[in-house]
Amino acid sequence: MTDIRKVIDEIGVEVDRALDKKQKSKYLYLSMLLYSLIENFLKWLVATQILWNETGKQTEAEMKGQAYQVDWDSIRKKAARLDFNTAIDKAFTLGLIGIRLKKRLHNDRLTRNDLVHELWIYKRRNDEEFMRAMLGGLKATTIKLVHVFGKLVYGEIGVDVPEMFTLLKGR
């Protein structure tokens, strides 16, 4: 299985390079890549939080001598099948994201839907300023989710890794 940190860093390098060198021909492709990354990363965060919560419930039940059965695979599969809208709302309900990030993600989702499902892209595809701003905004959203990842995995769960996401750390 590919390390998600490595994938995000590799994408971050490509996004930074395109923005730094003003490679406008890559803005649309990289924006679509970040939309996909954000949606799938959010689903992963939701699944991880639910699994962590269930682990706590199972441990607590076992300490009391009670049986507690968790269908781990079912949790992963349900999270993977979430649509973007539901994943955002679930992340908010679980306390993974705050209201500001929830609103930002919903805005990104709506823009992505317009981009994919409408002829909007035909009109905006050559607007370098707009496409650059969209890519920069998606990079900022991704960075916010990376911070959520750090808070969940390194803060709450307690996995200790000295350096994570070296390239997307808030640049």
Side-chain angles (χ1 to χ4, degrees):
M1 177 185 286
T2 305
D3 184 336
I4 194 159
R5 295 169 302 166
K6 185 176 185 220
V7 170
I8 291 173
D9 273 348
E10 289 171 358
I11 293 170
V13 168
E14 196 170 344
V15 168
D16 285 341
R17 187 178 306 123
L19 289 171
D20 292 345
K21 294 183 178 189
K22 297 182 179 178
Q23 297 172 318
K24 67 180 184 176
S25 64
K26 292 187 176 185
Y27 292 171
L28 176 60
Y29 156 74
L30 290 172
S31 292
M32 295 307 292
L33 182 62
L34 285 181
Y35 281 125
S36 179
L37 173 68
I38 289 167
E39 181 176 354
N40 286 294
F41 193 35
L42 193 60
K43 291 176 186 181
W44 184 89
L45 289 166
V46 165
T48 301
Q49 182 66 62
I50 293 170
L51 291 168
W52 180 245
N53 293 349
E54 290 301 315
T55 299
K57 290 176 187 176
Q58 184 176 28
T59 301
E60 192 174 307
E62 288 172 356
M63 289 173 64
K64 293 177 181 177
Q66 301 169 341
Y68 189 87
Q69 191 65 25
V70 179
D71 186 350
W72 307 107
D73 198 44
S74 174
I75 292 170
R76 287 186 199 95
K77 286 178 182 174
K78 284 180 184 175
R81 286 192 304 264
L82 291 173
D83 60 48
F84 199 5
N85 183 53
T86 308
I88 295 166
D89 291 341
K90 189 72 172 171
F92 179 73
T93 302
L94 289 168
L96 286 167
I97 60 174
I99 191 70
R100 289 177 61 197
L101 184 52
K102 176 185 175 186
K103 288 178 181 180
R104 180 182 191 137
L105 285 163
H106 275 303
N107 185 57
D108 288 344
R109 178 185 59 80
L110 291 171
T111 302
R112 189 242 6 221
N113 288 351
D114 284 346
L115 184 70
V116 171
H117 300 296
E118 303 291 332
L119 284 176
W120 172 89
I121 185 60
Y122 183 75
K123 294 185 278 185
R124 302 304 293 257
R125 74 182 186 282
N126 292 321
D127 183 343
E128 180 180 351
E129 187 176 314
F130 176 81
M131 295 302 292
R132 181 179 176 78
M134 183 171 65
L135 181 58
L138 291 169
K139 176 184 170 186
T141 299
T142 305
I143 289 168
K144 289 184 181 302
L145 288 178
V146 166
H147 290 291
V148 171
F149 175 86
K151 183 178 165 190
L152 173 62
V153 174
Y154 303 117
E156 187 172 335
I157 296 174
V159 175
D160 185 27
V161 176
E163 285 296 319
M164 69 173 222
F165 303 111
T166 55
L167 296 170
L168 278 176
K169 251 193 194 175
R171 287 174 62 174

